[in-house]
Every structure is written in structure tokens, then in C-alpha cells.
């Protein structure tokens, strides 16, 4: 007996952030380019900057650059210092540790950092 | 009001400092270093509204340094050492019997030790009208703010006094756009520091800059209008000058009134009398800095002697005289080197030749505005000297003062190439030679910072010894000493690009070219520093390597499109979005307008696009049009319209060719001798898209009148009746430089061939973010070397350089047209990855002058905390 053809399925890897103790999917892994970031909106309208490093790990911190007030951290360049990944603000170049959100150039400044995970899911492609 | 009493038993002793200027702050640091602050209570009264700042660099305010940047007080310094600083609260009286000081606020503090560091006040001669509106002195940040404000909408200004400070103030007025007069009572400028010959050279140069110099006359009367504002000034010879503003810079007087009022000894001509430990006639009171009359009978108007006094007083107060071999302050060197209005001026030692039997050795070239004099003693020892127009040798001559120089004195004043000695560098100096005059640091101390304290970089040595942290004039000598010392001790000097690469940009260029490397990751993993391999690199090397790969792409056969594959991750945000990021997160757009020539149809399209997207529109300084305020998601929509109308990317975002400006030239202008517009367009189209270590700018003028300002460009072309003259290495910006003539009377073909070679040679050998001007000054052999390589082909490179440029020209494609044609590339132009259609609500605008501007209520503060990137290049 032949089965009726199913809707085409595909496996996607989602990037999720821990927001208020719940995992929230912001994008798919393939939306990210290693060494760069993207901005995403959280349910409450807050903006996060999501990054992928060379080894394929995702990070997320608040998108607002505290030195200028502009929502641009997602557009900075990634780097690593002492094995820890950072992003340099595209405006005035201050660096932020991606795991903790701590500013490496001014110890009094920190932006929020979010825990991330990648999560495999099977999605039915909607034609 | 409350009187705090510290002389009860067991209480910590109280040290009160009156005056928080340069010397006051240095004194506090000296106390902290001696740990006195751990046991004593320290109270500081500061008359000015801000903590100590660098008065010596005061004028740099006009070139953009903010008062905060001038601060001398490290963040948290006061709190860390428990020092109580009272801003804006001057001491008004001292009661020596009760050992108290009382400040304007009414606060009275009891002291065990009192230190006066009240500095000087500018002397204002009793000229009638001196109190009119528009009369200023030049001493504090507040003075400069007031001068700047008053100078707005005014056209002329006068400085009374042609000494050091007077010339500095005159330079500032000139910079504010005023017609500037200098009135000096002496027959020459800077009479104290330079002799007659030096004064004449200085005057000529100052006048060439458009300042009007009156010497041998004084100001007699200042006239004001009905509102009391200055309008003119009469001079002692009866003549009169129209002026809206007057700055008095006729010398300073020690601020010793407090001391006089409480009966301390003061000198006949002012100054609080102190002994060699800086103690006044009352053993509980010290005086340091410009307010003090030193034991040698002099009042010093310079910061270095003041710093020395601060150390001496701190020693005496901490009871620690061990480290003080000379046993106190007896006198100091008053050598100075400055760049006044862009002219180097230096004087050191016995500049006026007052010693018995001394002789002068003089070199003077009035055409070049250079004057150098050395004073040599009967025994051949160098006693002092004056250098105007070229003070390069100062760093080496000053420490030699007092000894017989290793070469004949006349050789020391000759310009390079005219029998000057083979570079007599700081290595030739004895260990006792003082390298940093501001902080009295000897060559020996610098060497020991490297050998004993294990400093391995110039910044570390600066921190360790303080050398180079004052006026900065010794940094060149310092750097060369530190490098010598490091090399001698077997440490190789790290000239690497950044923490990821130990190679310079030029070396990386060669590696990429010869090994045909086409990816950053490949380069990092094979040639990065061990600790950086397999990592993510950094924000310094990523764009630099991205640029190298892009420059070489046509030759390596790699993709030249800056957003392909891994290349995308290397680019600064500007290159990543092919537009310029603005302070509120929006972008600006600059379409290319080759040569500045544009049709009415294209102008209309720009107007329509700007109107339809609500963009702020401005003519740039580069003869094109900038459209500001586009959101990331609007960039492709805007460019679709522009590309349709025939526009291409103007690369305003890239380290690449920017504009080739033109003047209207022979076609219309009655003086033009060549078609400058056509040449500008040809050049712009030829080099568009060329990635380089820094941006590249050019201009073409149709005749020697030079309306296109070609000599301010990286490569500039000026028409002659026989063809074109090619100039290279020009720069506007913060440190302007006129371009140098590379070759003359070239025909079209020769011109383009030379530019091809020049640009490719620059791209190959320059440092990261090094404009052609800085590159030309840095590379060994300078312009002559470049001429040998690109004109005479001394390295046999020219064919290769030309071939590489041909590859570039053939491979050029418009980045925006390519981007629009590729859905994959367009995907990044969204504000939010999870809401592609949504605009960013934080990018907001408010109206201004019939257009828009960013709504910056979100901005954090008035100062921009710009971080300077590490690495080999400064910009
Ligand atoms: C738009 C414009 C100002 C204007 O409204 O007129 C401008 C805007 C900027 N200039 Fe400029 N410069 C502009 C003409 C100039 C000129 C005049 C000229 O080209 O004739 C100069 C002096 C000439 C020169 O470069 O030698 C100039 C010297 C600078 C410098 C100093 C460079 C130097 O070597 O000292 C910088 C800083 C840098 O590049 O490090 C700079 C940097 C910048 C930056 C990129 C600052 C930044 O990082 O945001 C600005 C980008 C604005 C934007 O988003 O578009 N800009 N800038 C001009 C664009 C011209 C164009 O059509 O492309
Ligand atoms: C424009 C300019 C350029 C200069 N360039 C050079 C240079 O190139 N090289 C060089 O060696 N020197 C230079 N100088 C001189 C140098 O700035 C001074 O030698 C140095 O600042 C002296 O330090 P000080 O602490 O003794 O005095 P100041 O720095 O003047 O500090 C004295 C402080 O005491 C405060 N004060 C006074 N009375 C009271 C009171 N009763 N209570 C509380 N506070 C009080 C004053 O307001 C002031 O803030 C320059 C000065 C100026 C203005
Ligand atoms: S446009 Fe140029 S001069 Fe004006 S603020 Fe920007 S960088 Fe400075
Ligand atoms: S001589 Fe002024 S900083 Fe060294």
C-alpha cells in the first residue's frame, strides 16, 4: 500500500534565547553568518543582538549600545580576546564580552547577556 | 561654620593644598606614591570649577580636545586615596597662628601642613579701556570658552604680547576665523626665548600665515562703542587698528596675595619665598609651582620646574629625603620646544650667549624660514641654542648641553644632505642626559625601565617613568631609545598589526599575494600568532585583511565583491551594508558623481528619491550629494531607484577611492589650460572601487590657480600649458599636508601610468589606516624613494604594478548593482531577523530647517567616549 504523499518535512536548527526563564526562538542557525550578528525582536519589543562565532556557537546580548544610545551592537565586528568572544560596537568601537555583556573597555558598563541554545526541530514546510 | 579640628591626639595629621592646578595635582600624586595619603587627611581647595587639567595643552581645545580630555586626574584618583577635593571653593584667608584656612564657602579647615600651589595670574597692563566687553586673558578653560563664544560673528582680534603664549593665542584667534593682529612691545617676537635672527625668521613665517605683526609698539588705548564693546585699539606710535576682541598676554605674575596677607615672606617682584625644600618662612607652609620664588631667586613660568618642586615638597613632608640625591630644588632648565602656529621653535640652555668668551654658530635660510644658532663655550662645550623653523635636532641637542659634542658644532645645524652628520640619534647620548624635560627623566632611567622593570612597549615605559606624558616633545627620542634598548636586550620589537598578527600590514600583503591566500581564516590559522589561531580574530585585523584580499582579488582571481562568503564577516558595518552608519543607527548614501559633473536629470532623480524617502540632503565637501537617514531595510529600495537612473556606489563607506574633484577648467574658465573635468572623470572611473589601506582622494585643477585643491589630495593633478603636473601625498583632515610634486608636464598616458604605479606601490607597502601623506613621511627615503621606484623603476616593479591596476580596472563591477541582483545578498538588509518587514522603531527623526535630523534624546552624554584602536597605525 502506498502512503499518500506527506507535506515535505525538513529539519531546522533554531537558535533560542532564555527570556524570563523560557526558551524563545529568534531565528534559524542558517540565518547567521559566522563572525557577524543580526538584530531580533523579543516578545516585549526589546531588541537583542544575536551572533555566531567561528566554532558555531551562538551568543546574544542587548542590541542597544550604551555609549551612544543607538540600537546597533548587532552590526559590530566579532573578535576574540584571550579565548573569549566579543563584539566591537560599530559606532565608537567599545568591545563587549558576548558571554557576560561586560564592556572590556569600561568596567562600569555592562549590557544584558542572554543564555542561548540551538535546538533541532522538524518543521513541515508550508508550500 | 564647621571647623574641623585635626590636632587632637591620635587624629591623622591634615595636609591642606590650596590650588588644584598642574603642580597641585602632581603634588597629590607624589603624596599618594609616598603613601602619605594613607595616614594623613588631605583637603584640596580648587578655585576653578573643574579638577586639574593640562594647561600646557589648553589651546588644543580649539582643535577639538574637550575639557574632559584635558583632565590630569585619573578616574577615581581622589576617592582611591581618600582626598577631599572642593571644586569652585577658593581659600580667602589663612590664619597662621591658629593654623586654619577659610574658604569662600565659609568652611574653615585646620592644617598641620599647608601647601600653596596657586599658580599665576595674567598681567593686564593698565591700558585705558581694558575692562571693555571683548577683553580677555588666556589662562583657563573658562577663558577659552568665553573667547570662543565672543568670537562668533566677529571678524578681527588683537593679541597684546608676542611671547610664547601670545603667539599661541593669536593662532587660536586665527583658527576661529578672525583677522588677527599681534602687538609686541619688544622689537621682536618671543624676545625671551629667541635672539634677533630667530625673531626675524619667526616673524616672516608668522606673517606668511596671514597674521599681522606690530613690533616695537605698545597698546595705548582701547576704544569701545556705546554698549561698551571693543571696536578699536590705538598703538603707542599713534596708529590705530580696528578690532572686535583683545587678548592680553603680557606676561604672568605669581598669585601670592594670600601669602602676603598672612605675613609670609614674598619677593620684591612677587613670588612666595621658599627654600630648597620649598618651605616658606613659616615651616608649616610650603609653596610650589608658579606662585613660588625658588631658592635661586627665580619664579619659574614653566611646568617642569613646578613638577620638580612638587616632588621635593612631597619628599620633605613625608620626611623621606633618601630618594632625593640633590637635596632639593635649586633651579631648573627653562628649555622649550613648541610648535607655534605650525612653526617649530625651540630654545635651550644659554640661548642668548651670555657666558664669557662664547661663540655663535649660525645657520640661516630666510627663504625656508629656518634659523638655527648654537652657543659654544671657549672650551668647545655646547652651552645653548635657538632653533626656528626646524627644531628636529632639539631632542638631541638639549641633552648634549654642557658637554663637548661628538661632532663639530657646525655639523649640528646643517640641514640633512648638506654635510649633516649621519643621524646622531639619542643612542649617542650619555646616561645622565635628560630626555624628558617635563618630568626630568634621564636616558639612564628610560633604559632601566626596560632592563630592570621589564617594560616592553613605549606606553609601558611612559607609565613607569612618566617620560613623554607632558608636552610630548620627547616621545620620538623616547621611542627610539626604548626600541634600541629592547633590541639590545634581545627582545624583538613588536611591530605587529594587532594581537592576532605579528606581521605588519605590508608583510601580510606580501604573504597574501605570494601564497595566494583568499580567506581570512586561512591566513589567521597559518600566519596568526599562536594564541590567535583558530580564534575569531579582532576588529583591527579583520577589516585590514578584508581590504588586502579585496585589493588583490582581481590578481588572485578571487571574488572582488566585498560581501561574498567569509568576506562579509570581515567588513566594518559600513562596508557590510554598503552605506555609512550614522549616530542614531540610520545610514547615509553617497552615489558616485564622477568629477563632480552631473546632469539635471540625475539631480532630479536624487531630489525625488530624497523626497520620497524623507532623507536629509546635503552637498558634501567632496563635490557630491549625501542622503542621510535611511533605515537598513530601505537601502535596497533606495538603491534600486538610483541604479535605475544610472548611479553607482560612491564608496563613501569604504577604504577605497572616494572622489576626484574637478574645477571647471579650460572648457569654460578663461584661465584654464587643460580639460580638467574630463581628466577628473577619467581618473575617477579608472580607480573607482579600488580598495586601499585608507581612503584615497584626488582632484584635478585646470591651471595653477588650483581651484580644485589638488595639492590637498592623495594624488592631485594640476594642468600646465604642456600637460599635467602630478602631486602626491596631500592630505586635509586633522593634520593637513600639501602634496609633493612627483613629476611634471606629463601627457595623459604618462600621467595615468604614473598614478597606476604610485597607487599600487602605496597599497602594497602602507600600514593599516595610513594615508599616503603619513606613508610618504614614514617610508625610508621618502618622496625620493617613491620617485625612484615608480618613475625610474629602480626595483623593476613597474610592469607588475601596472598589470595589477589593469586587473583592477577590468574586474570592476558596481557593488550596489550586484547586490540588488542577488536575493541571497539582499537578505541581510532587514532591521530584524525575526520580523523582516518591521522598521526599527528606535530610528526616529525630528524636523529641522525644512528637513529631518536624528531624534537624539536617546544619546547618553555630551562627550563621545571614542575608543582608539590598538595596532600599528594611529588612525
Ligand atoms: C560627508 C562628508 C562631510 C560633508 O557633509 O561634507 C564627510 C563625512 C565623514 N568623514 Fe570626511 N567627509 C567628507 C569630506 C571630507 C574632506 C573634504 C574632501 O574630501 O575634499 C576631508 C579632508 C580631505 C582629506 O581627507 O584629506 C575629510 C576628512 C576626513 C577625515 C580625516 C582624514 C585624515 O587623513 O586626516 C576623517 C577621519 C578618518 O578617515 O579617519 C573623515 C571621516 C568622515 C566620516 C567617515 C566619519 C565617520 O566615520 O562617520 C564621515 C562619514 C559621514 C557619512 O556617513 O557619510 N573625514 N572628509 C564629506 C564626504 C565627501 C564625499 O563626497 O565623499
Ligand atoms: C596657554 C598656555 C600654554 C602654556 N604652555 C606651556 C608650555 O608649553 N610649557 C610649559 O612648561 N608651561 C606652559 N604653560 C605654563 C604652565 O601651564 C604652568 O607653568 C603650570 O600650569 C603651572 O602650574 P601651577 O599648578 O603652578 O599653576 P596653575 O596650573 O595655574 O594652577 C593654579 C591653580 O590654583 C588656583 N588658585 C589660585 N588661588 C587659589 C585660591 N586662593 N584657592 C584655591 N585655588 C586657587 C587657580 O585657579 C589654578 O587653578 C602654559 C600656560 C598656558 C596658560
Ligand atoms: S562630517 Fe567630518 S568633520 Fe563633520 S563631524 Fe563628521 S567626521 Fe567630523
Ligand atoms: S619633554 Fe615634555 S613630555 Fe617629555
Amino acid at each position: 500500500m502506498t502512503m499518500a504523499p506527506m507535506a515535505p518535512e525538513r529539519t531546522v536548527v533554531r537558535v533560542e534565547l532564555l527570556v524570563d526563564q523560557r526558551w524563545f526562538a529568534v531565528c534559524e542557525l542558517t540565518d547567521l553568518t559566522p563572525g557577524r550578528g543580526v538584530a531580533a525582536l523579543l516578545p516585549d519589543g526589546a531588541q537583542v543582538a544575536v551572533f555566531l562565532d567561528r566554532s558555531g556557537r551562538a551568543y546574544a546580548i542587548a542590541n542597544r549600545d550604551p555609549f551612544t544610545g543607538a540600537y546597533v551592537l548587532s552590526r559590530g565586528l566579532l573578535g576574540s580576546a584571550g579565548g573569549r568572544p566579543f563584539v566591537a560596537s560599530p559606532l565608537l568601537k567599545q568591545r563587549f564580552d558576548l558571554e557576560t555583556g561586560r564592556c572590556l573597555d569600561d568596567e562600569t558598563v555592562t549590557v544584558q547577556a542572554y543564555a542561548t541554545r540551538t535546538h533541532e526541530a522538524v518543521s513541515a514546510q508550508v508550500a | 561654620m564647621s571647623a574641623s579640628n585635626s590636632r587632637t591626639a591620635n587624629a591623622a595629621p591634615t595636609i591642606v593644598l590650596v590650588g588644584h592646578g598642574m603642580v597641585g595635582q602632581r603634588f597629590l600624586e607624589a603624596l599618594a606614591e609616598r603613601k602619605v595619603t594613607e595616614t594623613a587627611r588631605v583637603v584640596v581647595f580648587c578655585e576653578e570649577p573643574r579638577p586639574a587639567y593640562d594647561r600646557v595643552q589648553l589651546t588644543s581645545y580649539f582643535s577639538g580636545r574637550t575639557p574632559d580630555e584635558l583632565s590630569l586626574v585619573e578616574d577615581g584618583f581622589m576617592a582611591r586615596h581618600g582626598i577631599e577635593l572642593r571644586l569652585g571653593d577658593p581659600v580667602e584667608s589663612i590664619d597662621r597662628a591658629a593654623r586654619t584656612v577659610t574658604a569662600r564657602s565659609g568652611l574653615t579647615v585646620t592644617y598641620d601642613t599647608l601647601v600653596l600651589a596657586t599658580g599665576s595670574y595674567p598681567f593686564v597692563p593698565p591700558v585705558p579701556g581694558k575692562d571693555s566687553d571683548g577683553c580677555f586673558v588666556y589662562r583657563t578653560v573658562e577663558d577659552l570658552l568665553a573667547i570662543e563664544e565672543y568670537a562668533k560673528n566677529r571678524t578681527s582680534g588683537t593679541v597684546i604680547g608676542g611671547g610664547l603664549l601670545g603667539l599661541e593665542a593669536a593662532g587660536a584667534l586665527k583658527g576661529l576665523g578672525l583677522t588677527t593682529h599681534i602687538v609686541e612691545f619688544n622689537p621682536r617676537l618671543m624676545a625671551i626665548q629667541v635672539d634677533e635672527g630667530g625673531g626675524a625668521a619667526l616673524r616672516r613665517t608668522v606673517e606668511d600665515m596671514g597674521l599681522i605683526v606690530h613690533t616695537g609698539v605698545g597698546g595705548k588705548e582701547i576704544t569701545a562703542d556705546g554698549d561698551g564693546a571693543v571696536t578699536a585699539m590705538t598703538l603707542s606710535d599713534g596708529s590705530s587698528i580696528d578690532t572686535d576682541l583683545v587678548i592680553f598676554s603680557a606676561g604672568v605674575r605669581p598669585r601670592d596675595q594670600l601669602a602676603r596677607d598672612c605675613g609670609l615672606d614674598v619677593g620684591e617682584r612677587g613670588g612666595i619665598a621658599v627654600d630648597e625644600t620649598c618651605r616658606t618662612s613659616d615651616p608649616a607652609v610650603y609653596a610650589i609651582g608658579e606662585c613660588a620664588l625658588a631658592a635661586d631667586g627665580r619664579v619659574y613660568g614653566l611646568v617642569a620646574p613646578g613638577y620638580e618642586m612638587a616632588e621635593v615638597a612631597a619628599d620633605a613632608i613625608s620626611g623621606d629625603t633618601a630618594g632625593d640625591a640633590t637635596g632639593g630644588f635649586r633651579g631648573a632648565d627653562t628649555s622649550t620646544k613648541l610648535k607655534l602656529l605650525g612653526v617649530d621653535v625651540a630654545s635651550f640652555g644659554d640661548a642668548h650667549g651670555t657666558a664669557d668668551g662664547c661663540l655663535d654658530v649660525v645657520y640661516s635660510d630666510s627663504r625656508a624660514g629656518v634659523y638655527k644658532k648654537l652657543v659654544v663655550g671657549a672650551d668647545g662645550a655646547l652651552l645653548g641654542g635657538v632653533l626656528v623653523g626646524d627644531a628636529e635636532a632639539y631632542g638631541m641637542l638639549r641633552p648634549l648641553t654642557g658637554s663637548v659634542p661628538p661632532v663639530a658644532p657646525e655639523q649640528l645645524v646643517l640641514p640633512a644632505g648638506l654635510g649633516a652628520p649621519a643621524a646622531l640619534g639619542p643612542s649617542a647620548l650619555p646616561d645622565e642626559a635628560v630626555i624628558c624635560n617635563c618630568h626630568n627623566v634621564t636616558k639612564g632611567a628610560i633604559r632601566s625601565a626596560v632592563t630592570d622593570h621589564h617594560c616592553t612597549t613605549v606606553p609601558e615605559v611612559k607609565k613607569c617613568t612618566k617620560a613623554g606624558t607632558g608636552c610630548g616633545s620627547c616621545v620620538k627620542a623616547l621611542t627610539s631609545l626604548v626600541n634600541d634598548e629592547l633590541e639590545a636586550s634581545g627582545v624583538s620589537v613588536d611591530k605587529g598589526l594587532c594581537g592576532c598578527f605579528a606581521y605588519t600590514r605590508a608583510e601580510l600583503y606580501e604573504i597574501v599575494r605570494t601564497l595566494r591566500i583568499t580567506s581570512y581564516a586561512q591566513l589567521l590559522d597559518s600566519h596568526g600568532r599562536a594564541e590567535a589561531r583558530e580564534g575569531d580574530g579582532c576588529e583591527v585585523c579583520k577589516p585590514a585583511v578584508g581590504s588586502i584580499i579585496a585589493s588583490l582579488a582581481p590578481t588572485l582571481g578571487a571574488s572582488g565583491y566585498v560581501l561574498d562568503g567569509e568576506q562579509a564577516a570581515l567588513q566594518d558595518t559600513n562596508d557590510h551594508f554598503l552605506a555609512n552608519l550614522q549616530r542614531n543607527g540610520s545610514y547615509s548614501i553617497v552615489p558616485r558623481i564622477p568629477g563632480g559633473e552631473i546632469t539635471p536629470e540625475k539631480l532630479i532623480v536624487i531630489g525625488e528619491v530624497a523626497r520620497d524617502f524623507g532623507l536629509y540632503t546635503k552637498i558634501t565637501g567632496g563635490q557630491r550629494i549625501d542622503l542621510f537617514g535611511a533605515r537598513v531595510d530601505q537601502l535596497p529600495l533606495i538603491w534600486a531607484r538610483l541604479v535605475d537612473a544610472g548611479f553607482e556606489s560612491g564608496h563613501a563607506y569604504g577604504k577605497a577611492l572616494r572622489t576626484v574633484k574637478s574645477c571647471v577648467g579650460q572648457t569654460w574658465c578663461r584661465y584654464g589650460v587643460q580639460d580638467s573635468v574630463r581628466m577628473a572623470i577619467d581618473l575617477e572611473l579608472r580607480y573607482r572601487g579600488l580598495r586601499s589601506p585608507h581612503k584615497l582622494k584626488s582632484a584635478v585643477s585646470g591651471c595653477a590657480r588650483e581651484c580644485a585643491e589638488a595639492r590637498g589630495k592623495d594624488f592631485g593633478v594640476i594642468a600646465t600649458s604642456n600637460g599635467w603636473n602630478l602631486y602626491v601625498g596631500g592630505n586635509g583632515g586633522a593634520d593637513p599636508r600639501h602634496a609633493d610634486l612627483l613629476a611634471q608636464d606629463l601627457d595623459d598616458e604618462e600621467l595615468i601610468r604614473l598614478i597606476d604605479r604610485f597607487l599600487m606601490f602605496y597599497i602594497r607597502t602602507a600600514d593599516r589606516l595610513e594615508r599616503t601623506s603619513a606613508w610618504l613621511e614614514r617610508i625610508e627615503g621618502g618622496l625620493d624613494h617613491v620617485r625612484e621606484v615608480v618613475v625610474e623603476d629602480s626595483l623593476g616593479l613597474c610592469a607588475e604594478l601596472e598589470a595589477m591596476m589593469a586587473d583592477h580596472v577590468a574586474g570592476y563591477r558596481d557593488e550596489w548593482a550586484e547586490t540588488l541582483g542577488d536575493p541571497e545578498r539582499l537578505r541581510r538588509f532587514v532591521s530584524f531577523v525575526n520580523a523582516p518587514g518591521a522598521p526599527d522603531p528606535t530610528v526616529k527623526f525630528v524636523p529641522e530647517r525644512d528637513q529631518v535630523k536624528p531624534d537624539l534624546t536617546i544619546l547618553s552624554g555630551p562627550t563621545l567616549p571614542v575608543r582608539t584602536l590598538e595596532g600599528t597605525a594611529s588612525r
Side-chain angles (χ1 to χ4, degrees), chain B residues 251-265:
Chain B
V252 294
R253 300 283 184 270
R255 292 188 68 172
D256 53 14
Q257 196 58 44
L258 273 179
R260 285 174 191 271
D261 291 347
C262 69
L264 289 172
D265 286 354

PDB file of all heavy atoms in Angstrom, chain B residues 251-265:
ATOM      1  N   GLY B 251      52.432  88.560  29.882  1.00  0.00           N
ATOM      2  CA  GLY B 251      53.178  88.005  31.000  1.00  0.00           C
ATOM      3  C   GLY B 251      52.282  87.626  32.159  1.00  0.00           C
ATOM      4  O   GLY B 251      51.110  87.964  32.186  1.00  0.00           O
ATOM      5  N   VAL B 252      52.858  86.858  33.102  1.00  0.00           N
ATOM      6  CA  VAL B 252      52.072  86.431  34.256  1.00  0.00           C
ATOM      7  C   VAL B 252      52.758  86.903  35.534  1.00  0.00           C
ATOM      8  O   VAL B 252      53.935  87.232  35.529  1.00  0.00           O
ATOM      9  CB  VAL B 252      51.898  84.894  34.291  1.00  0.00           C
ATOM     10  CG1 VAL B 252      51.064  84.425  33.117  1.00  0.00           C
ATOM     11  CG2 VAL B 252      53.244  84.196  34.327  1.00  0.00           C
ATOM     12  N   ARG B 253      51.980  86.978  36.606  1.00  0.00           N
ATOM     13  CA  ARG B 253      52.512  87.353  37.913  1.00  0.00           C
ATOM     14  C   ARG B 253      52.121  86.284  38.911  1.00  0.00           C
ATOM     15  O   ARG B 253      51.001  85.773  38.862  1.00  0.00           O
ATOM     16  CB  ARG B 253      51.889  88.679  38.384  1.00  0.00           C
ATOM     17  CG  ARG B 253      52.144  89.863  37.462  1.00  0.00           C
ATOM     18  CD  ARG B 253      53.566  90.403  37.644  1.00  0.00           C
ATOM     19  NE  ARG B 253      53.771  91.600  36.813  1.00  0.00           N
ATOM     20  CZ  ARG B 253      54.216  91.580  35.554  1.00  0.00           C
ATOM     21  NH1 ARG B 253      54.486  90.419  34.970  1.00  0.00           N
ATOM     22  NH2 ARG B 253      54.374  92.688  34.886  1.00  0.00           N
ATOM     23  N   PRO B 254      53.014  85.937  39.826  1.00  0.00           N
ATOM     24  CA  PRO B 254      52.684  84.911  40.817  1.00  0.00           C
ATOM     25  C   PRO B 254      51.490  85.319  41.684  1.00  0.00           C
ATOM     26  O   PRO B 254      51.371  86.480  42.065  1.00  0.00           O
ATOM     27  CB  PRO B 254      53.951  84.798  41.666  1.00  0.00           C
ATOM     28  CG  PRO B 254      54.854  85.896  41.247  1.00  0.00           C
ATOM     29  CD  PRO B 254      54.384  86.438  39.945  1.00  0.00           C
ATOM     30  N   ARG B 255      50.619  84.367  41.998  1.00  0.00           N
ATOM     31  CA  ARG B 255      49.473  84.666  42.864  1.00  0.00           C
ATOM     32  C   ARG B 255      49.901  84.487  44.309  1.00  0.00           C
ATOM     33  O   ARG B 255      49.765  83.416  44.888  1.00  0.00           O
ATOM     34  CB  ARG B 255      48.308  83.734  42.523  1.00  0.00           C
ATOM     35  CG  ARG B 255      47.746  84.027  41.160  1.00  0.00           C
ATOM     36  CD  ARG B 255      46.491  83.252  40.889  1.00  0.00           C
ATOM     37  NE  ARG B 255      45.383  83.699  41.733  1.00  0.00           N
ATOM     38  CZ  ARG B 255      44.127  83.263  41.569  1.00  0.00           C
ATOM     39  NH1 ARG B 255      43.840  82.400  40.630  1.00  0.00           N
ATOM     40  NH2 ARG B 255      43.170  83.708  42.359  1.00  0.00           N
ATOM     41  N   ASP B 256      50.422  85.583  44.874  1.00  0.00           N
ATOM     42  CA  ASP B 256      50.969  85.486  46.222  1.00  0.00           C
ATOM     43  C   ASP B 256      50.184  86.301  47.238  1.00  0.00           C
ATOM     44  O   ASP B 256      50.632  86.539  48.347  1.00  0.00           O
ATOM     45  CB  ASP B 256      52.442  85.935  46.210  1.00  0.00           C
ATOM     46  CG  ASP B 256      52.604  87.312  45.584  1.00  0.00           C
ATOM     47  OD1 ASP B 256      51.582  88.020  45.407  1.00  0.00           O
ATOM     48  OD2 ASP B 256      53.745  87.688  45.250  1.00  0.00           O
ATOM     49  N   GLN B 257      48.964  86.778  46.841  1.00  0.00           N
ATOM     50  CA  GLN B 257      48.220  87.668  47.729  1.00  0.00           C
ATOM     51  C   GLN B 257      47.893  87.008  49.074  1.00  0.00           C
ATOM     52  O   GLN B 257      48.076  87.613  50.126  1.00  0.00           O
ATOM     53  CB  GLN B 257      46.925  88.134  47.043  1.00  0.00           C
ATOM     54  CG  GLN B 257      46.282  89.342  47.702  1.00  0.00           C
ATOM     55  CD  GLN B 257      47.226  90.548  47.744  1.00  0.00           C
ATOM     56  OE1 GLN B 257      47.894  90.850  46.759  1.00  0.00           O
ATOM     57  NE2 GLN B 257      47.298  91.201  48.895  1.00  0.00           N
ATOM     58  N   LEU B 258      47.456  85.748  49.029  1.00  0.00           N
ATOM     59  CA  LEU B 258      47.133  85.030  50.274  1.00  0.00           C
ATOM     60  C   LEU B 258      48.330  85.038  51.211  1.00  0.00           C
ATOM     61  O   LEU B 258      48.197  85.256  52.413  1.00  0.00           O
ATOM     62  CB  LEU B 258      46.806  83.567  49.952  1.00  0.00           C
ATOM     63  CG  LEU B 258      45.378  83.163  49.587  1.00  0.00           C
ATOM     64  CD1 LEU B 258      45.372  81.663  49.303  1.00  0.00           C
ATOM     65  CD2 LEU B 258      44.414  83.499  50.704  1.00  0.00           C
ATOM     66  N   ALA B 259      49.496  84.783  50.623  1.00  0.00           N
ATOM     67  CA  ALA B 259      50.716  84.709  51.421  1.00  0.00           C
ATOM     68  C   ALA B 259      51.071  86.076  51.997  1.00  0.00           C
ATOM     69  O   ALA B 259      51.465  86.202  53.148  1.00  0.00           O
ATOM     70  CB  ALA B 259      51.857  84.180  50.553  1.00  0.00           C
ATOM     71  N   ARG B 260      50.920  87.119  51.159  1.00  0.00           N
ATOM     72  CA  ARG B 260      51.194  88.481  51.648  1.00  0.00           C
ATOM     73  C   ARG B 260      50.277  88.798  52.827  1.00  0.00           C
ATOM     74  O   ARG B 260      50.717  89.330  53.853  1.00  0.00           O
ATOM     75  CB  ARG B 260      50.889  89.520  50.562  1.00  0.00           C
ATOM     76  CG  ARG B 260      51.912  89.574  49.463  1.00  0.00           C
ATOM     77  CD  ARG B 260      51.435  90.527  48.365  1.00  0.00           C
ATOM     78  NE  ARG B 260      52.287  90.383  47.191  1.00  0.00           N
ATOM     79  CZ  ARG B 260      53.410  91.094  47.018  1.00  0.00           C
ATOM     80  NH1 ARG B 260      53.760  92.011  47.884  1.00  0.00           N
ATOM     81  NH2 ARG B 260      54.168  90.881  45.974  1.00  0.00           N
ATOM     82  N   ASP B 261      48.985  88.480  52.650  1.00  0.00           N
ATOM     83  CA  ASP B 261      48.006  88.843  53.671  1.00  0.00           C
ATOM     84  C   ASP B 261      48.288  88.189  55.017  1.00  0.00           C
ATOM     85  O   ASP B 261      47.925  88.722  56.051  1.00  0.00           O
ATOM     86  CB  ASP B 261      46.587  88.463  53.212  1.00  0.00           C
ATOM     87  CG  ASP B 261      46.131  89.335  52.048  1.00  0.00           C
ATOM     88  OD1 ASP B 261      46.811  90.361  51.790  1.00  0.00           O
ATOM     89  OD2 ASP B 261      45.126  88.987  51.394  1.00  0.00           O
ATOM     90  N   CYS B 262      48.911  87.002  54.977  1.00  0.00           N
ATOM     91  CA  CYS B 262      49.158  86.369  56.277  1.00  0.00           C
ATOM     92  C   CYS B 262      50.614  86.518  56.695  1.00  0.00           C
ATOM     93  O   CYS B 262      51.080  85.826  57.597  1.00  0.00           O
ATOM     94  CB  CYS B 262      48.718  84.901  56.264  1.00  0.00           C
ATOM     95  SG  CYS B 262      49.732  83.870  55.233  1.00  0.00           S
ATOM     96  N   GLY B 263      51.317  87.442  56.040  1.00  0.00           N
ATOM     97  CA  GLY B 263      52.638  87.825  56.522  1.00  0.00           C
ATOM     98  C   GLY B 263      53.775  86.884  56.166  1.00  0.00           C
ATOM     99  O   GLY B 263      54.841  86.956  56.769  1.00  0.00           O
ATOM    100  N   LEU B 264      53.596  86.023  55.190  1.00  0.00           N
ATOM    101  CA  LEU B 264      54.732  85.202  54.736  1.00  0.00           C
ATOM    102  C   LEU B 264      55.677  86.079  53.915  1.00  0.00           C
ATOM    103  O   LEU B 264      55.243  87.068  53.309  1.00  0.00           O
ATOM    104  CB  LEU B 264      54.221  84.052  53.868  1.00  0.00           C
ATOM    105  CG  LEU B 264      53.464  82.936  54.586  1.00  0.00           C
ATOM    106  CD1 LEU B 264      52.853  81.977  53.562  1.00  0.00           C
ATOM    107  CD2 LEU B 264      54.397  82.176  55.528  1.00  0.00           C
ATOM    108  N   ASP B 265      56.950  85.708  53.866  1.00  0.00           N
ATOM    109  CA  ASP B 265      57.910  86.468  53.062  1.00  0.00           C
ATOM    110  C   ASP B 265      57.590  86.316  51.579  1.00  0.00           C
ATOM    111  O   ASP B 265      57.363  85.195  51.110  1.00  0.00           O
ATOM    112  CB  ASP B 265      59.337  85.941  53.289  1.00  0.00           C
ATOM    113  CG  ASP B 265      59.870  86.363  54.654  1.00  0.00           C
ATOM    114  OD1 ASP B 265      59.161  87.141  55.345  1.00  0.00           O
ATOM    115  OD2 ASP B 265      60.967  85.902  55.026  1.00  0.00           O
TER     116      ASP B 265
END
